[in-house]
């Protein structure tokens, strides 16, 4: 799968640091970020970063027939997590977790991982995946 | 006053992947003597996941170091990444980490190469850059997903981990540098040519003429420079290619093994190359008390070693619990089969 460089490059900071937008009117935090609040339509939004926030696992899917370029990651586990304070819902790959360890409400944390790569010679795309929180 | 004395470590942090392989599996698969893992004094090694590489591991180590340092990332003026497993042959790893941590754009950023010692040379240069005022803070990362030819004795130990240090002014440091020294010669103990997937090593060269000669050389230079003696140090941490070499080199220097054991991580995770000695330092800083003195001596094939004298300050105590410790990552482990390890580390050739 080839990703054209400009859009991927423009979004890199959002992907590395989980840039989201918080609506100053209705208070909702939305990821991915958007200039217009997708809940109330307000344009009164500010950028926030969610990379330091823990999240709870809401739901997930285990994909056994992954698309081209993801064969070595099967089964691919995609999850929806909700950040603990800002309550943003994020769709992201789950990592460092075995299918039998998946559980609703599990505390997770965002980490930078290789999300995809363009074969053996193309670009590597880094982004955020969620893994079970490591407790000290 | 030596330039080193103006500088110190503000924050430190490491990362170890969750996955481990029991070395008995490697011995069994390739028909080694079953005692081989015990002879190396290494029982398991860490294996990076399929979505991990030197960049992602270095990012997490650096994030832990930043949490401890408590500084504004934008004030970091150098991001120096030491590795021998760059995800790109050409394209800096350092810029990816710098961008992801919010350090860009007003910074230097580059990748360094000197086998396992690249990050250590970067530490000495970072000390110089901070002492001279060229930069306020420098972030040095040692990170490797070490490669080994399947079936080579190196496969027992070549592992994955990362460690990062934030170097800055002494008056903000959790531990300050007293002095440092380097010892470098042209020695063909270990190499990898361009386009070769795995490194080779000169069997007879790896021990005495490489590891022992260079580490002893660097540490003796440090002792001469400072007048310090082995008994002045509370801890000693050396490059850790296996579990036995660090104990032997300590004995050659008159340092008892009790001072080496607290920083010896290789028996549990293998040799993480650019993070090998540094993760030992990181573990010691996780536990150290103010006033203690640490001898740090990384080594890299090709060959060279550095020696540092580091003194812990009272700031260490408030920073120890600000991020995950090496022990936390050591405890988080899940054993995988040789087959899964081979898949994760791309030892199985597929058409993609
Ligand atoms: Zn709104």
């Amino acid at each position: 799968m080839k990703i054209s460089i400009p859009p991927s490059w423009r979004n890199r900071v959002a992907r590395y640091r989980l840039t989201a937008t918080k609506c100053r009117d209705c208070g909702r935090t939305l990821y991915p970020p958007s200039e217009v609040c997708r809940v109330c339509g307000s344009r009164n939004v500010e950028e926030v970063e969610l990379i330091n926030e823990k999240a709870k696992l809401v739901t997930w899917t285990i994909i056994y027939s992954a698309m081209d370029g993801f064969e070595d990651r099967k089964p691919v586990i995609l999850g929806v997590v909700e950040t603990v304070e800002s309550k943003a819902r994020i769709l992201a790959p789950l990592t460092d977790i075995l299918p039998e360890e998946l559980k609703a409400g599990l505390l997770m944390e965002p980490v930078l991982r290789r999300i995809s790569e363009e074969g053996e010679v193309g670009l590597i795309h880094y982004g955020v995946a969620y893994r079970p929180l490591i407790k000290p | 006053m030596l330039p080193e004395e103006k500088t110190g470590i503000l924050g430190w942090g490491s990362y170890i992947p969750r996955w481990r392989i029991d070395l008995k599996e490697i011995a069994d698969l390739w028909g080694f003597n079953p005692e081989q893992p015990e002879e190396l004094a290494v029982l398991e090694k860490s294996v990076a996941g399929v979505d991990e590489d030197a960049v992602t591991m270095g990012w997490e180590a650096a994030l832990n170091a930043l949490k401890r340092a408590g500084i504004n990332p934008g004030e970091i003026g150098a991001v120096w990444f030491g590795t021998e497993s760059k995800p790109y042959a050409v394209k800096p790893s350092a810029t990816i980490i710098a961008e992801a941590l919010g350090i860009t754009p007003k910074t230097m950023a580059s990748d360094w190469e000197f086998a396992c010692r690249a990050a250590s040379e970067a530490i000495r240069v970072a000390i110089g850059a901070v002492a001279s005022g060229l930069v306020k803070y420098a972030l040095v990362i040692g990170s490797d997903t070490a490669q080994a030819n399947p079936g080579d004795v190196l496969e027992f130990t070549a592992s994955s981990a990362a460690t990062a240090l934030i170097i800055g002014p002494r008056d903000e440091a959790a531990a300050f540098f007293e002095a440092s020294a380097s010892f470098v010669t042209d020695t063909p103990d270990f190499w990898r040519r361009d386009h070769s997937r795995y490194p080779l090593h000169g069997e007879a060269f790896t021990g005495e003429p490489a590891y022992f000669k260079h580490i002893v050389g660097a540490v003796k230079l440090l002792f001469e420079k400072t007048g310090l003696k082995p008994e002045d140090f509370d801890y000693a941490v050396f490059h850790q290619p296996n579990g036995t070499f660090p104990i032997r080199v300590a004995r050659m220097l008159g340092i008892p093994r009790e001072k080496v054991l607290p920083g010896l991580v290789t028996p549990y995770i293998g040799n993480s190359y650019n993070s090998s000695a540094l993760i030992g330092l990181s573990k010691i800083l996780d536990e150290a008390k103010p006033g203690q003195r640490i001898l740090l001596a990384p080594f890299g094939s090709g060959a060279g070693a550095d020696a540092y004298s580091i003194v812990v300050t009272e700031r260490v105590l408030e920073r120890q619990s600000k991020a995950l410790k090496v022990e936390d990552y050591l405890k988080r482990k899940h054993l995988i089969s040789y087959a899964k390890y081979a898949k994760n580390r791309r030892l199985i050739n597929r058409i993609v």
Side-chain angles (χ1 to χ4, degrees):
Chain A
M1 182 183 57
K2 190 157 168 60
I3 296 171
S4 70
I5 294 174
S8 151
W9 178 77
R10 265 197 304 278
N11 294 331
R12 72 196 186 285
V13 175
R15 283 187 292 110
Y16 295 165
R17 291 187 233 158
L18 281 178
T19 310
T21 41
K22 185 176 182 191
C23 175
R24 292 196 186 94
D25 290 332
C26 74
R28 289 286 292 271
T29 302
L30 295 169
Y31 180 88
S34 138
E35 283 171 31
V36 179
C37 174
R38 292 192 291 273
V39 177
C40 74
S42 167
R43 288 181 175 274
N44 188 15
V45 298
E46 61 180 329
E47 274 198 356
V48 290
E49 281 177 10
L50 306 175
I51 194 69
N52 293 315
E53 241 190 276
K54 297 175 186 68
K56 275 188 177 162
L57 183 57
V58 177
T59 188
W60 61 87
T61 181
I62 302 174
I63 303 166
Y64 294 101
S65 49
M67 58 184 180
D68 288 357
F70 291 86
E71 292 90 346
D72 60 352
R73 300 177 180 214
K74 290 191 294 188
V76 171
I77 308 178
L78 281 182
V80 172
V81 301
E82 186 178 273
T83 54
V84 170
E85 287 126 49
S86 57
K87 307 284 181 207
R89 291 214 166 185
I90 298 170
L91 172 68
L94 306 183
T95 191
D96 292 359
I97 191 163
L98 303 168
E100 59 268 31
E101 294 166 344
L102 291 159
K103 211 177 110 195
L106 200 64
L107 265 181
M108 314 283 287
E109 59 192 333
V111 287
L112 190 76
R113 291 296 166 96
R114 286 165 86 115
I115 301 300
S116 63
E117 58 194 286
E118 297 166 15
E120 285 182 337
V121 294
L123 281 173
I124 302 163
H125 299 280
Y126 293 91
V128 167
Y130 276 83
R131 69 142 183 247
L133 180 73
I134 303 179
K135 293 185 197 81
Chain B
M1 194 183 199
L2 294 170
E4 287 91 334
E5 294 174 86
K6 297 179 187 166
T7 70
I9 299 165
L10 277 69
W12 69 96
S14 292
Y15 174 76
I16 305 168
R18 182 185 181 197
W19 317 109
R20 307 279 198 284
I21 179 168
D22 185 331
L23 298 198
K24 286 202 276 296
E25 282 224 31
I26 297 175
D28 179 56
L29 182 75
W30 294 109
F32 280 96
N33 178 349
E35 310 292 313
Q36 184 89 21
E38 274 157 53
E39 282 165 19
L40 291 164
V42 182
L43 303 173
E44 293 169 358
K45 73 167 184 175
S46 54
V47 180
V50 70
D51 62 350
E52 297 187 281
D53 61 22
V55 165
T56 65
M57 298 194 308
W59 170 85
E60 183 155 344
L63 186 68
N64 285 331
L66 267 173
K67 285 179 184 170
R68 289 204 168 92
I71 59 164
N72 169 8
E75 288 190 276
I76 292 174
V79 179
W80 286 332
F81 189 77
T83 188
E84 56 180 273
S85 38
K86 285 158 62 81
Y88 289 98
V90 176
K91 190 201 174 301
S93 309
T95 53
I96 303 169
I97 295 176
E99 189 90 68
L101 293 174
I103 299 169
T104 48
K106 291 184 278 179
T107 184
M108 291 184 270
S110 62
D111 296 1
W112 296 47
E113 198 283 318
F114 192 127
C116 301
R117 182 192 156 261
S120 179
E121 177 135 328
I123 291 171
R124 284 205 84 196
V125 177
I127 288 170
V130 169
S132 71
L134 182 68
V135 303
K136 184 167 184 195
Y137 305 119
L139 168 61
V140 177
I141 304 162
S143 179
D144 268 304
T145 52
Q147 323 96 340
N149 196 13
D152 188 308
V153 67
L154 278 182
E155 193 185 16
F156 281 111
T157 49
S159 76
S160 302
T163 296
L165 299 178
I166 290 172
I167 294 167
R170 172 176 174 161
D171 60 6
E172 299 175 36
F176 65 87
F177 292 102
E178 272 186 316
S180 61
S182 297
F183 188 99
V184 167
T185 70
D186 176 14
T187 305
D189 58 324
F190 171 99
W191 65 90
R192 180 166 68 82
R193 292 274 299 274
D194 203 7
H195 302 300
S196 161
R197 288 184 68 190
Y198 306 113
L200 297 175
H201 48 103
E203 213 56 74
F205 276 101
T206 50
E208 298 304 329
Y211 182 87
F212 294 102
K213 175 181 159 185
H214 290 80
I215 290 184
V216 169
V219 172
K220 286 196 166 156
L221 280 175
L222 182 83
F223 286 172
E224 281 166 25
K225 205 166 165 178
T226 56
L228 290 166
K229 297 181 293 297
E231 51 270 34
D232 295 321
F233 292 89
D234 298 285
Y235 301 100
V237 50
F238 303 100
H239 178 57
Q240 324 180 353
N242 52 50
T244 62
F245 275 23
I247 306 283
R248 264 174 66 193
V249 79
R251 197 164 55 224
M252 290 164 78
L253 289 162
I255 297 168
R257 68 200 297 267
E258 296 69 49
K259 293 186 179 182
V260 181
L261 292 177
L264 198 58
V265 179
T266 288
Y268 317 106
I269 65 159
N271 176 7
S272 56
Y273 286 39
N274 269 280
S275 176
S276 183
L278 298 184
I279 201 166
L281 172 69
S282 186
K283 181 167 177 287
I284 288 168
L285 289 171
D286 285 344
E287 304 158 6
K289 295 183 188 69
Q292 289 187 319
R293 184 181 276 120
I294 304 163
L295 172 66
L296 168 69
F299 164 81
S301 291
D306 309 289
Y308 301 83
S309 175
I310 301 167
V311 178
V312 179
T313 75
E314 69 289 344
R315 285 182 208 89
V316 82
L317 299 173
E318 66 189 39
R319 296 185 194 174
Q320 284 169 335
S321 57
K322 283 194 172 158
L324 289 170
K325 296 180 177 181
V326 172
E327 197 63 48
D328 300 322
Y329 288 106
L330 287 174
K331 279 189 300 197
R332 181 189 79 134
K333 68 162 186 174
H334 185 86
L335 284 170
I336 57 173
S337 62
Y338 189 93
K340 282 228 167 106
Y341 147 78
K343 183 185 144 198
N344 276 11
R345 290 293 88 221
R346 297 165 194 233
L347 305 180
I348 302 171
N349 268 325
R350 295 171 54 247
I351 298 169
V352 287

